[in-house]
Amino acid sequence: MENSADQMVRVRFAPSPTGGLHLGGVRTVLFNYLFAKKYKGQFILRIEDTDQSRFVPGAEQYILDTLAWCGMTPDESPIHGGAYGPYRQNERKPMYKQYANQLIEQGNAYYAFDTAEELDVKRKEIPNFQYNRATRMGMKNSLSLPAAEVTRLLNENIPHVVRINMPDSEELVFEDLIRGEVKFDTSMVDDKVLLKADEMPTYHLAVVVDDFLMKITHAFRGEEWLPSAPVHILVWKNLFGLDKMPQWAHLPLILKPDGNGKLSKRDGDRLGFPVFAMDWKDSNTKETTIGFKERGFLPAAFVNLLAMLGWNDGTDHELFSLDSLIEKFSLDRVHKGGAKFDYEKAKWFNQEWLKQSDNAYLANLVAPYFEAAKIEIHEPSYLVKVIGLVKERCQLLSDFIPQSSFFFAAPTEIDTASILPKWDPAKVIFFTSVMDAYRNQVVTNDATLLETHFKTLATEQGLKPGDLMLPFRIMLVGGKFGPGVFDIVANIETQDAAKRIQYCLDLLSKN
Ligand code: GLU
């Protein structure tokens, strides 16, 4: 599709601020954002907070923070402003009633006066009770009651809601940009409430009115909203005309790792991985749910892995920046079926992005982890250098601590068990001579010179350098890991390396 001069692409992300943002929600943002940017259109954030009972303090700020972290800045939002505001539905309350009235006048909706108690009685009487074409005439509403009675109830301000009048067996058809033609039979759908007793619209009315007033051209949302589509189509048809309706795309679900159903926050808790974008602190329970950000993911990796959950560019290529996604994205390549979430693969994306990222950028992100681990960084440029040496070995930002703490302080736990089986007096003599050379500054802090010195010394003593590398590594870092040993010595410097050798020789002599 092309962006024509008379129709600017306008998409929206319309979350309800009820808690942390699930990765499926962020993927919905991403696909909206990519589409908007690709067609030089606008991306709108609209807060759908008409259900005040579900309002959670802090949730809107969390959504804004998540978008900012991912680098997806809305063109219009409650804080960015715009010509179609307000962007919080509860601030738009006075706008909706006229549309509910219009639907009533046209016969597409009706007043319902049933109290909560009366509805409860019905639910008990009739299993799986639905307020619909089969039951509505037995209820208290403007279709079942005489006109005079309806007028009296309205004049007396008896609390009432407005319900959609779902037609009998009408076929509703729409073209979903991912699924193709989708058909609904209206007799399967109940008479949803459109306007509540306090004149606040429900989601079903507000979403249609706002998409119309905000001139939304394309609406992409999760597949879980597909069952609501007939209600929305009918409201569109009766209020504004189907030709004005945005083009819909219902995005496939993100599935549990085993493919069995939708991935939930509980699956993350159970299997030990994040499902929310960022840490979410529940203000009631005070419980914090871990997010990708705090688990140590880079925003570029998070965006990349989300894009690949349900989309590809038609090649084997998997690494995409946000800019390259904007260039490559197309709805035709969004899969119909759900996408299985694989945490190992998610970490792989992060590792790839760590490798590509600038060391100074990573140093800023890693610094708080060092602070939390109480490792002092005296020289920021030293941290930048260390990051360059170890980043290939890290999958998460938190991995930088175990992978590099020995650059800042000598290890205290030494895996001597891995040295002892091949330890002998010749090696004691060798490492003592390395230690002495380091102490006496016989060799400078340069990885190449250090390596030559080490190997020459070994050969002179009739030893194979290859047999000496593992014990040396363990002396320097405590275990069998880390970057090149001579890079380590060059950075911690020979005086410190000499102390580490001494410490280990003492430990080994006790065995
Ligand atoms: N408010 C709905 C949600 O919380 C939005 C669904 C839609 O985009 O129409 O996801």
Side-chain angles (χ1 to χ4, degrees):
M1 89 142 272
E2 286 305 314
N3 174 21
S4 65
D6 58 339
Q7 205 195 29
M8 156 81 83
V9 164
R10 287 177 57 83
V11 303
R12 86 302 192 270
F13 176 53
S16 299
T18 53
L21 208 47
H22 184 285
L23 64 136
V26 191
R27 193 195 52 178
T28 300
V29 183
L30 177 64
F31 287 4
N32 274 292
Y33 178 84
L34 296 177
F35 189 84
K37 296 298 139 185
K38 185 170 181 90
Y39 294 106
K40 312 259 178 300
Q42 279 149 349
F43 165 55
I44 292 118
L45 171 68
R46 181 174 72 223
I47 300 293
E48 300 213 325
D49 55 354
T50 55
D51 189 350
Q52 293 289 301
S53 66
R54 294 180 67 218
F55 176 78
V56 177
E60 178 185 311
Q61 190 54 46
Y62 175 97
I63 291 164
L64 288 161
D65 291 346
T66 300
L67 299 198
W69 179 58
C70 294
M72 299 188 283
T73 312
D75 298 297
E76 297 168 27
S77 85
I79 59 153
H80 298 87
Y84 299 87
Y87 293 91
R88 287 184 195 98
Q89 285 181 331
N90 85 72
E91 293 169 12
R92 302 171 66 82
K93 186 177 168 189
M95 299 185 180
Y96 303 105
K97 195 181 172 187
Q98 55 168 309
Y99 295 105
N101 286 345
Q102 186 186 331
L103 290 171
I104 293 171
E105 279 158 28
Q106 294 171 183
N108 307 124
Y110 59 88
Y111 297 110
F113 300 93
D114 318 85
T115 63
E117 294 73 33
E118 286 163 346
L119 287 169
D120 271 348
V121 170
K122 282 287 173 200
R123 285 191 196 107
K124 280 191 193 115
E125 262 174 40
I126 308 173
N128 303 323
F129 169 76
Q130 295 235 315
Y131 207 120
N132 60 15
R133 58 200 245 288
T135 60
R136 68 167 82 101
M137 293 314 278
M139 306 298 292
K140 250 168 83 181
N141 55 53
S142 56
L143 301 179
S144 63
L145 298 171
E149 173 69 351
V150 173
T151 311
R152 185 187 67 79
L153 291 170
L154 290 175
N155 287 342
E156 286 176 17
N157 282 326
I158 299 302
H160 56 269
V161 300
V162 174
R163 286 183 181 272
I164 192 166
N165 186 359
M166 264 292 154
D168 286 358
S169 316
E170 183 177 325
E171 190 177 66
L172 292 178
V173 185
F174 83 100
E175 194 67 24
D176 186 283
L177 292 173
I178 296 173
R179 283 145 214 279
E181 191 175 82
V182 182
K183 287 186 188 161
F184 296 98
D185 176 352
T186 54
S187 46
M188 306 303 286
V189 189
D190 57 332
D191 292 354
K192 296 269 186 247
V193 172
L194 299 176
L195 199 73
K196 292 181 267 189
D198 61 0
E199 300 198 337
M200 192 60 122
T202 59
Y203 159 65
H204 299 299
L205 179 62
V207 71
V208 173
V209 169
D210 287 345
D211 282 350
F212 172 74
L213 294 178
M214 294 183 177
K215 297 202 167 58
I216 300 302
T217 57
H218 298 79
F220 310 149
R221 60 183 179 187
E223 188 184 284
E224 62 274 27
W225 295 103
L226 200 54
S228 301
V231 181
H232 304 163
I233 295 169
L234 211 63
V235 176
W236 267 105
K237 186 172 153 194
N238 293 321
L239 282 180
F240 311 117
L242 289 180
D243 54 325
K244 299 274 185 337
M245 190 167 80
Q247 282 186 273
W248 294 96
H250 289 86
L251 307 174
L253 294 178
I254 297 182
L255 304 175
K256 296 177 201 293
D258 62 8
N260 249 331
K262 186 181 166 187
L263 179 73
S264 73
K265 179 179 106 53
R266 252 173 293 121
D267 298 314
D269 296 345
R270 181 170 61 86
L271 300 164
F273 56 72
V275 168
F276 286 169
M278 305 195 310
D279 273 7
W280 168 252
K281 190 163 178 199
D282 189 301
S283 51
N284 295 323
T285 61
K286 305 280 177 245
E287 189 198 330
T288 299
T289 307
I290 182 93
F292 278 87
K293 176 175 184 239
E294 291 77 4
R295 184 49 78 85
F297 278 78
L298 297 175
F302 184 56
V303 162
N304 191 165
L305 75 93
L306 286 181
M308 302 311 288
L309 284 170
W311 174 85
N312 64 52
D313 75 340
T315 71
D316 290 341
H317 197 69
E318 290 185 291
L319 296 176
F320 295 96
S321 65
L322 194 53
D323 282 344
S324 61
L325 285 170
I326 292 172
E327 191 193 314
K328 296 267 155 66
F329 185 73
S330 94
L331 274 179
D332 318 340
R333 301 214 57 89
V334 175
H335 317 315
K336 286 195 191 63
K340 276 189 219 167
F341 178 70
D342 175 349
Y343 188 52
E344 290 311 311
K345 184 77 189 193
K347 286 193 289 186
W348 174 85
F349 277 108
N350 207 47
Q351 182 164 28
E352 292 303 312
W353 276 98
L354 286 173
K355 282 189 210 161
Q356 302 193 8
S357 295
D358 174 66
N359 298 339
Y361 163 74
L362 292 178
N364 272 327
L365 298 179
V366 162
Y369 292 86
F370 279 85
E371 212 178 296
K374 303 214 174 4
I375 299 173
E376 245 180 282
I377 294 159
H378 299 289
E379 188 47 68
S381 62
Y382 181 63
L383 176 63
V384 173
K385 214 153 64 160
V386 166
I387 281 178
L389 288 171
V390 303
K391 65 180 180 182
E392 299 238 343
R393 293 158 206 282
C394 298
Q395 287 200 305
L396 300 171
L397 289 170
S398 52
D399 292 343
F400 279 94
I401 301 298
Q403 286 296 338
S404 71
S405 60
F406 56 84
F407 277 107
F408 301 88
T412 44
E413 287 195 15
I414 310 285
D415 178 15
T416 47
S418 295
I419 303 181
L420 281 166
K422 292 193 175 166
W423 194 238
D424 58 30
K427 287 190 178 117
V428 177
I429 294 167
F430 172 76
F431 280 105
T432 307
S433 53
V434 174
M435 181 174 70
D436 289 342
Y438 285 0
R439 275 191 187 142
N440 298 327
Q441 298 182 353
V442 169
V443 58
T444 43
N445 292 310
D446 172 277
T448 317
L449 297 179
L450 286 160
E451 181 168 1
T452 312
H453 169 262
F454 186 92
K455 290 189 172 162
T456 312
L457 212 56
T459 318
E460 278 168 14
Q461 297 188 18
L463 299 172
K464 279 197 230 140
D467 294 342
L468 303 163
M469 296 313 256
L470 181 71
F472 194 29
R473 170 177 296 286
I474 295 174
M475 288 173 186
L476 297 170
V477 313
K480 296 185 208 166
F481 63 95
V485 280
F486 301 106
D487 284 323
I488 299 172
V489 180
N491 280 286
I492 62 170
E493 301 195 349
T494 47
Q495 294 303 318
D496 187 353
K499 283 187 205 150
R500 296 187 190 195
I501 298 171
Q502 176 77 71
Y503 181 75
C504 273
L505 288 176
D506 290 350
L507 271 183
L508 291 161
S509 69
K510 288 182 196 136
N511 279 285

